[in-house]
Amino acid sequence: MTYNNMQVFNAMLRQDFRAFLHRTVLTLNPGGQFLPNWHIDAIAHALEEARNGRIKRLIINLPPRHLKSIISSVAFPAFLLGHDPRRRIIEISYGTDLATKHASDFRSLIHSSWYQRAFRQMRIARSAESEVFTTERGFRRATSVGAALTGFGGDVFIIDDPQKPVDAQSEPLIRSITGSQTRCFPGSITRRPASSWLSCSACTSMT
Amino acid sequence: MRERGRTRAVTVREAILLRVIEDALKGSTKSAAFILNRYGLMVSGEIQHAELTGDDQAVLEAFLTRVKPNPSEGDVS
């Protein structure tokens, strides 16, 4: 192993989200295996487009256990903050437990030695259970649907499973979630560029 | 960490190194020797850099396989 190999490895992690995701999966599943597939490549490409500002709204619908949460709620926020520690990211899930689980995975990722080697400009100022702040005042904040977000402006909103699978047919709940999402992202009336990533059955009423 | 009357956030590693430098400047020969040795190693390139783990190698190899041009793609059959 030479110093140059490490430089190549770090550059690859910074430039290639798919490689970054591969390393993320191995970190979160020690001893596990990463199985590449075209749907992962497609999501990675779409998220790269979002990171570069070419996609403002993105909906991801996938069956369970297809890595959508690891990709969009864990790896992608870490990749975003690694490139720009000023980004303000809010991640919303249906319940506190799920939001906390994603936050825990996110923290494991950004505290890993390989991440800190690859993204030296991203330094952690404060790391708590549901939120991480960078020294550049960026953050990733995890919350649940219905929780108060007043006063917490964000650049990027990730809505990951805003309802439980058993509530998928609940019309009142879907209306409630759709209403709150509309309030969060009022179409073109946004003062800052905002993006949202959705993976939910409520999407059917939003598209 | 407080420096020239101003507080600034630093990593634990940076705080330890700053404290060792401070000790060296106050006359601690042990701290001074440590810092000078580290500097000497850095200049000579002898500092051991972190190595790629097995997982790192697996990711790197998968990436290289993915981006490596496929020689058969250029063939016209």
Side-chain angles (χ1 to χ4, degrees), chain A residues 21-30 105 108-109 112 114, chain B residues 55:
Chain A
L21 178 65
H22 186 170
R23 191 65 188 87
T24 297
V25 170
L26 297 184
T27 300
L28 299 179
N29 300 281
D105 286 344
S108 298
L109 191 55
S112 65
W114 63 264
Chain B
D55 283 347

Side-chain angles (χ1 to χ4, degrees), chain A residues 11-205:
Chain A
M12 173 197 71
L13 291 175
R14 286 191 295 269
Q15 298 302 319
D16 189 86
F17 182 61
R18 283 191 281 174
F20 180 86
L21 178 65
H22 186 170
R23 191 65 188 87
T24 297
V25 170
L26 297 184
T27 300
L28 299 179
N29 300 281
Q33 197 183 0
F34 177 73
L35 299 173
N37 193 36
W38 66 266
H39 80 278
I40 294 175
D41 294 347
I43 296 172
H45 174 73
L47 289 173
E48 269 292 313
E49 291 289 285
R51 185 173 75 85
N52 293 322
R54 288 190 283 270
I55 291 180
K56 298 291 184 188
R57 299 280 193 277
L58 176 65
I59 295 176
I60 301 170
N61 277 317
L62 276 177
R65 314 306 300 163
H66 276 68
L67 279 187
K68 62 183 181 300
S69 291
I70 296 289
I71 297 173
S72 56
S73 295
V74 179
F76 189 61
F79 195 69
L80 265 182
L81 283 174
H83 281 280
D84 185 359
R86 297 167 300 178
R87 298 303 285 262
R88 300 181 305 167
I89 303 166
I90 293 177
E91 197 262 337
I92 305 166
S93 298
Y94 65 75
T96 311
D97 287 349
L98 185 62
T100 305
K101 200 262 177 196
H102 293 160
S104 170
D105 286 344
F106 174 77
R107 277 186 283 113
S108 298
L109 191 55
I110 60 170
H111 281 99
S112 65
S113 55
W114 63 264
Y115 180 88
Q116 295 188 353
R117 274 199 310 266
F119 297 98
R120 291 192 179 276
Q121 62 170 343
M122 197 301 218
R123 292 165 69 176
I124 303 160
R126 186 158 61 87
S127 178
E129 188 179 32
S130 63
E131 58 191 16
V132 170
F133 281 84
T134 72
T135 52
E136 297 290 325
R137 305 297 298 161
F139 62 80
R140 179 197 184 278
R141 181 181 169 81
T143 188
S144 57
V145 171
L149 271 176
T150 310
F152 292 99
D155 303 320
V156 179
F157 292 85
I158 300 170
I159 305 171
D160 187 358
D161 284 338
Q163 62 187 131
K164 290 184 236 175
V166 292
D167 294 330
Q169 304 304 320
S170 168
E171 284 292 332
L173 192 63
I174 290 173
R175 272 200 300 276
S176 161
I177 290 167
T178 308
S180 64
Q181 287 171 354
T182 306
R183 285 194 297 278
C184 278
F185 321 111
S188 59
I189 312 168
T190 46
R191 292 197 304 172
R192 306 184 145 266
S195 306
S196 61
W197 287 268
L198 301 155
S199 53
C200 59
S201 54
C203 291
T204 52
S205 61

Side-chain angles (χ1 to χ4, degrees), chain B residues 70-77:
Chain B
N70 185 352
S72 64
E73 279 180 1
D75 294 349
V76 179
S77 53

